[in-house]
Amino acid sequence: RIIFLINGVVLFMACITFFVFEYYLFKVTTKEKIATIGKIISANSTASLAFDDHESATEILAALNTEPYISGACLYDTAAKIFATYKGDGAAFPVPGERGYKFSFTYIEGFEPVVLENRQLGTLYLRSDVTAMYDRLKLYAFVVVMVLILSFLVAYILVRFLKKSITAPILSLAETARVVSEQNNYSVRATKMSKDELGMLTDAFNRMLERIEQQNASLLEFNQDLEQKVKDRTMQLELVNKELEGFSYSVSHDLRAPLRAIIGFTSILEEEYSNVLDQEGKRITAVIKKNTAKMGQLIDDLLAFSRMSRQENTKAPVNMNTMVQEVKDNLAGQVNIDNIQWKIHTLPVVNANQNMIRQVWVNLVANAVKYSAKNAHPGIEIGSYAENGEIIFFVKDNGVGFDQQYSNKLFGVFQRLHSAEEFEGTGIGLALVAKIIAREGGRVWAEGEVNKGACFYFSLHAGEKSPAA
């Protein structure tokens, strides 16, 4: 169809150009021919007009019978009266006009002055029909139709030949590609039908299928090995987890008993030997009890950290505003927060593990209270904002802050940027926060400056926001 369309358009444009040129050429040659005849007749008619010889003028006009397409001629005298005529076919002769010839749809006509020694003796009128042009165009139209028929016949033969040598290989490639895409069968191959460019394309296509098949086989083998490795590692992890559970139980049971004994005997010393102990002795027993309690808290934090990955992560809608207020109220019962200037923005409801997220808020808010306590006018700001498909929460304080270059150490176990003498703590809280948020699919980071406060951030996916939000 494309070849036929191109062939037809090209031939049509060629024929239009041919007809337009032929029409123009006919008009030019016909006008030149009529003008030449007019000049000859007018030159021969000077004597007839000069001597008023009507018979001679008629004989001169009769010589036009050698031109079959001349349909009428007329000689006018100086008074514009008809002097002699030729044919006319019943059509009236026009009034003499200006010198020259013009075309109409059916004929060409014009006037030629009869001049003798620069004196006009009369005017010659000639009229010729254009039948010759139409006859010629009809002949050309017949020739064009025959050329069109012959061209389309030759084009059809070429198409039948090209269909076998070009279309068939392309259709074979297309069918092979369809089978590959629909069945994911990379073992099929396209049939090579020639050694030309299409044959090279077929070879390249088949080599591509062969490489994909080899890659798929390698991937399948790799996946099988990977599955086996995953099974082996899973079994190893299960064994390690069981050992950790046993270790956790041992830590919980075996270490707590000595700690309880230390606290118990220290309490006995304080109660039964208070009259013997001086102030220094009482201070020492208080230090023993305080550090023993701290050791117990550290054990609790380590156990909580180790058990985090084994806890079921059940999610439900969590009202962050209510939870932050509860955390704040609980802290009020433990430390003095009356002098803190709180700025708590409206927080969204999100889907998360309620107990774990509560632990995040407890650690972050407690840290903000602890590290801003030495400021004369402590202030804490809590808020959130949406960014790149995440909801980002933050807790900001105006406390002692930290050096930003060490921010990567904040969320590691036992990593502290301040000494225990300055601020109490086990060094587990922020590591626990990082682990919880990682389980929730988010991330944590911090920004700070020494003596200018700190801001801790954690993010949750915005897609996990509940409909109630």
Side-chain angles (χ1 to χ4, degrees):
R1 287 197 295 268
I2 293 175
I3 292 175
F4 282 167
L5 178 62
I6 295 174
N7 189 50
V9 170
V10 171
L11 287 175
F12 178 76
M13 295 300 297
C15 291
I16 292 296
T17 304
F18 177 72
F19 274 107
V20 171
F21 175 75
E22 190 62 31
Y23 178 71
Y24 170 78
L25 186 63
F26 178 83
K27 289 179 66 176
V28 171
T29 56
T30 302
K31 184 180 290 187
E32 291 177 351
K33 183 178 180 180
I34 295 297
T36 300
I37 293 173
K39 290 178 181 179
I40 294 172
I41 297 297
S42 65
N44 293 333
S45 301
T46 55
S48 300
L49 288 172
F51 295 103
D52 198 23
D53 188 352
H54 292 273
E55 183 178 354
S56 174
T58 301
E59 290 179 357
I60 291 172
L61 292 179
L64 293 172
N65 61 5
T66 58
E67 297 294 334
Y69 295 109
I70 300 295
S71 60
C74 177
L75 269 175
Y76 300 90
D77 58 16
T78 55
K81 293 182 179 181
I82 295 176
F83 186 78
T85 62
Y86 170 76
K87 287 187 178 181
D89 298 332
F93 292 104
V95 177
E98 296 180 357
R99 181 180 183 176
Y101 298 88
K102 61 180 180 179
F103 271 89
S104 68
F105 184 72
T106 56
Y107 55 81
I108 177 175
E109 61 180 354
F111 299 94
E112 185 71 35
V114 180
V115 180
L116 178 63
E117 296 179 353
N118 297 326
R119 183 168 64 90
Q120 187 172 346
L121 302 178
T123 303
L124 173 67
Y125 168 76
L126 290 178
R127 180 172 66 232
S128 174
D129 62 32
V130 292
T131 307
M133 181 182 71
Y134 292 122
D135 290 343
R136 193 171 181 178
L137 292 180
K138 287 179 183 178
L139 176 62
Y140 289 157
F142 175 76
V143 173
V144 166
V145 170
M146 296 304 297
V147 169
L148 285 173
I149 293 174
L150 181 62
S151 298
F152 278 106
L153 181 61
V154 173
Y156 177 75
I157 295 173
L158 289 174
V159 166
R160 297 293 296 179
F161 172 75
L162 292 175
K163 184 177 180 180
K164 294 180 180 179
S165 61
I166 297 178
T167 310
I170 294 176
L171 292 176
S172 175
L173 282 173
E175 178 63 20
T176 305
R178 185 190 64 80
V179 172
V180 171
S181 62
E182 291 182 357
Q183 302 178 9
N184 290 328
N185 183 6
Y186 296 98
S187 62
V188 297
R189 297 291 183 269
T191 303
K192 183 178 180 180
M193 299 183 180
S194 62
K195 295 182 179 180
D196 54 10
E197 292 86 350
L198 289 173
M200 295 171 61
L201 178 62
T202 303
D203 288 338
F205 185 74
N206 288 335
R207 286 196 298 270
M208 180 186 69
L209 291 177
E210 183 178 358
R211 290 179 182 177
I212 294 176
E213 185 179 17
Q214 293 174 354
Q215 290 175 355
N216 284 347
S218 299
L219 285 174
L220 180 61
E221 182 179 358
F222 177 77
N223 287 336
Q224 291 175 348
D225 294 341
L226 184 61
E227 289 179 0
Q228 186 60 44
K229 289 180 180 179
V230 170
K231 290 180 181 178
D232 295 341
R233 295 293 173 83
T234 303
M235 292 179 61
Q236 293 175 7
L237 286 174
E238 289 177 352
L239 291 174
V240 171
N241 284 335
K242 289 181 180 179
E243 292 176 357
L244 285 175
E245 289 178 1
F247 175 74
S248 298
Y249 175 80
S250 175
V251 168
S252 177
H253 183 270
D254 296 342
L255 292 184
R256 286 182 184 277
L259 292 178
R260 286 194 296 268
I262 293 172
I263 293 176
F265 284 115
T266 305
S267 298
I268 292 173
L269 284 174
E270 288 179 334
E271 292 176 1
E272 297 186 4
Y273 298 93
S274 60
N275 57 340
V276 177
L277 295 173
D278 57 9
Q279 291 299 322
E280 180 63 17
K282 292 178 180 180
R283 186 189 67 80
I284 291 174
T285 56
V287 171
I288 293 173
K289 291 178 65 177
K290 180 180 179 181
N291 282 278
T292 305
K294 185 183 295 186
M295 183 65 181
Q297 182 62 46
L298 179 59
I299 292 172
D300 291 338
D301 290 345
L302 283 172
L303 289 175
F305 185 80
S306 64
R307 291 170 181 168
M308 182 63 63
S309 59
R310 300 193 299 275
Q311 292 181 7
E312 184 178 358
N313 191 13
T314 303
K315 296 185 178 182
V318 178
N319 188 321
M320 293 296 205
N321 287 304
T322 303
M323 180 170 288
V324 168
Q325 188 61 45
E326 291 175 355
V327 170
K328 178 185 171 185
D329 293 341
N330 289 336
L331 281 174
Q334 302 173 19
V335 295
N336 182 17
I337 63 173
D338 295 337
N339 62 332
I340 297 176
Q341 183 178 355
W342 295 88
K343 186 177 181 181
I344 303 177
H345 301 275
T346 301
L347 304 175
V349 177
V350 296
N351 264 3
N353 186 295
Q354 187 165 352
N355 293 329
M356 292 184 181
I357 292 299
R358 184 187 302 276
Q359 189 65 38
V360 170
W361 284 116
V362 167
N363 281 283
L364 294 181
V365 176
N367 273 1
V369 171
K370 177 171 63 176
Y371 290 109
S372 64
K374 294 184 178 182
N375 193 306
H377 303 285
I380 297 175
E381 181 180 2
I382 299 174
S384 67
Y385 59 91
E387 183 179 83
N388 298 328
E390 293 181 317
I391 300 178
I392 298 174
F393 298 90
F394 65 87
V395 178
K396 185 177 182 181
D397 64 74
N398 61 351
V400 295
F402 59 87
D403 191 337
Q404 185 66 32
Q405 65 176 325
Y406 302 116
S407 60
N408 60 321
K409 295 183 177 181
L410 288 171
F411 299 98
V413 179
F414 300 131
Q415 297 291 330
R416 298 171 58 92
L417 300 185
H418 302 280
S419 65
E421 288 75 16
E422 289 182 280
F423 298 98
E424 294 183 354
T426 60
I428 304 295
L430 290 179
L432 192 61
V433 168
K435 194 167 186 178
I436 291 173
I437 296 302
R439 289 200 65 187
E440 293 291 331
R443 54 198 178 94
V444 294
W445 69 98
E447 297 174 355
E449 190 174 351
V450 177
N451 296 323
K452 292 187 178 181
C455 187
F456 287 82
Y457 301 87
F458 69 92
S459 67
L460 297 173
H461 290 298
E464 295 184 352
K465 184 187 290 187
S466 70

